[in-house]
Amino acid sequence: MGLPSQEAIFQLQALMDQVDDPFIKTFENVHQGYQAETLVRFLKAREWNVAKAHKMLVDCLHWRVQNNIDNILAKPIVPAELYRAVRDSHLIGMSGYSREGHPVFAIGAGLSTLDKASVHYYVQSHIQINEYRDRVILPSASKKHGRPITTCVKVLDMTGLKLSALSQIKLLTIISNIDDLNYPEKTNTYYIVNAPYIFSACWKVVKPLLQERTRKKIQVLAGCGRDELLKIMDYASLPHFCRKEGSGSSRHSENEDCFSLDHPFHQQLYNYIKQQSLITEAIQPIKQGSFHVDLPEAAADGTEIAKTLESELHKFENENGLSHSTDGNKSNED
């Protein structure tokens, strides 16, 4: 049973005040001057149990130091063609801000193939977006609005979701575990749009396995979700796949398509990483090769969800008399 919030924050703060180098610097990169809000995130993730939240946060700092996460924004994925391939196969971008100032991230869950590079490149790219969000975008939004803005909104487009999603479960579970352990409670709400029947079938069996805290964050919207999303953001901030009925993650100009490497968000991110690499690696040339990060072991609940989802997809496949091989994709292992 967790303590009352203020007492829990006070106790966790006292424990974190004892942190020594090299964890002080990486903790600063985590909280960006908003320590209380950061402590609350970790406390929420551990049901306000101070001891468990402290262990989670210290483990996160160890992970950051061991994997040199503080410098990941100075490690571009090169050559540029490889980075474009990663972007074209892992559809994620930022379309704007909610009216409350929260960044709106769009994810093309249905059409992401995750088959153009190794696991480590996709993990590197995902962490870079997380770090850019936490160290550049959110501090800038906080400064603009004059108050802490430490979380975002995510809109997941299920257009094109197929049985081939089976082949992506392992990598998606790895990415999800990294977020759960090291970037907890960074998303206020997940909006699901353009959901086909196969999603509905999977959601029905996965939903009961989720923690109540997570379930409350997920909203499945009708169609492209435009009308509901316009209640919290302006039209200009709508992801391209929510602009009109029948619009999915494809068939949009590069300026509108927030997944495209040519979109302003990705151009700013890529240029920022290149500039940081020139500053920190002026003596050494940029080497080709992924930035290897220790991949976490799947938590028990995450494993159960993945197995349940895989079972449901197989069931859906069998019931519909479909024959679909999931072994034909490029291996995601190095």
Side-chain angles (χ1 to χ4, degrees):
M1 186 72 180
L3 291 168
S5 58
Q6 288 302 320
E7 178 63 19
I9 295 169
F10 177 79
Q11 289 190 18
L12 184 54
Q13 179 66 68
L15 290 171
M16 294 310 297
D17 285 343
Q18 301 173 30
V19 168
D20 297 322
D21 285 331
F23 302 118
I24 292 176
K25 178 60 179 177
T26 199
F27 186 39
E28 289 174 353
N29 275 331
V30 171
H31 66 66
Q32 293 293 318
Y34 299 106
Q35 285 197 47
E37 289 76 10
T38 299
L39 299 179
V40 166
R41 288 196 296 106
F42 281 84
L43 284 163
K44 283 182 178 179
R46 290 297 178 262
E47 306 298 337
W48 293 89
N49 183 301
V50 175
K52 291 181 179 179
H54 178 245
K55 182 182 185 305
M56 183 187 190
L57 184 45
V58 170
D59 287 347
C60 168
L61 300 184
H62 275 278
W63 174 80
R64 293 182 64 87
V65 171
Q66 289 171 358
N67 292 282
N68 199 21
I69 300 300
D70 290 341
N71 291 323
I72 199 169
L73 287 177
K75 304 291 183 180
I77 294 175
V78 291
E81 292 77 12
L82 176 60
Y83 185 63
R84 185 175 289 275
V86 171
R87 290 275 55 81
D88 289 345
S89 54
H90 188 194
L91 304 179
I92 183 170
M94 182 180 147
S95 61
Y97 294 85
S98 72
R99 292 196 184 94
E100 293 184 350
H102 298 284
V104 177
F105 281 87
I107 300 170
L111 292 176
S112 290
T113 58
L114 301 168
D115 60 354
K116 305 299 183 187
S118 74
V119 165
H120 291 285
Y121 282 116
Y122 287 111
V123 168
Q124 175 181 348
S125 174
H126 180 78
I127 294 175
Q128 285 177 329
I129 291 175
N130 280 357
E131 292 291 312
Y132 186 72
R133 173 198 65 197
D134 295 351
R135 289 152 64 178
V136 178
I137 292 173
L138 289 172
S140 176
S142 299
K143 183 177 180 181
K144 177 181 178 181
H145 289 272
R147 56 183 172 80
I149 295 179
T150 59
T151 56
C152 66
V153 170
K154 290 183 179 177
V155 185
L156 284 70
D157 181 21
M158 294 296 167
T159 297
L161 185 66
K162 297 182 179 67
L163 292 171
S164 56
L166 269 174
S167 63
Q168 304 164 18
I169 289 176
K170 180 180 178 182
L171 176 52
L172 292 174
T173 301
I174 289 171
I175 289 174
S176 176
N177 286 336
I178 288 173
D179 284 353
D180 290 345
L181 294 173
N182 303 292
Y183 303 94
E185 300 295 320
K186 294 298 294 188
T187 303
N188 286 337
T189 310
Y190 298 87
Y191 295 99
I192 311 293
V193 302
N194 297 321
Y197 173 73
I198 188 174
F199 170 81
S200 302
C202 293
W203 177 237
K204 185 168 60 176
V205 297
V206 169
K207 185 177 180 180
L209 301 177
L210 299 174
Q211 294 181 352
E212 182 181 2
R213 185 182 70 255
T214 302
R215 283 201 304 271
K216 288 180 177 179
K217 292 183 178 183
I218 300 173
Q219 296 188 30
V220 182
L221 305 182
C224 70
R226 178 191 56 199
D227 293 343
E228 286 299 313
L229 291 173
L230 283 175
K231 294 177 182 179
I232 65 163
M233 68 184 75
D234 295 334
Y235 183 84
S237 289
L238 280 178
H240 57 277
F241 49 80
C242 298
R243 298 287 176 93
K244 58 182 179 181
E245 291 296 338
S247 62
S249 295
S250 59
R251 295 199 196 95
H252 288 81
S253 72
E254 291 170 344
N255 286 335
E256 290 181 337
D257 186 350
C258 61
F259 300 146
S260 171
L261 181 55
D262 299 305
H263 187 272
F265 166 74
H266 282 298
Q267 285 294 300
Q268 292 163 11
L269 168 61
Y270 197 59
N271 288 334
Y272 181 89
I273 293 173
K274 286 195 295 185
Q275 290 170 1
Q276 293 300 305
S277 71
L278 293 175
I279 294 171
T280 60
E281 298 186 12
I283 300 175
Q284 297 178 330
I286 297 172
K287 295 180 180 179
Q288 187 169 351
S290 61
F291 185 96
H292 281 229
V293 171
D294 293 339
L295 304 181
E297 293 183 8
D301 54 351
T303 301
E304 183 181 2
I305 290 171
K307 287 181 177 179
T308 302
L309 185 56
E310 188 170 0
S311 173
E312 190 65 21
L313 286 168
H314 276 307
K315 187 189 303 181
F316 185 88
E317 178 182 49
N318 294 333
E319 287 176 353
N320 287 273
L322 300 175
S323 176
H324 186 93
S325 171
T326 59
D327 297 326
N329 287 346
K330 179 177 178 178
S331 171
N332 280 327
E333 301 292 343
D334 274 357

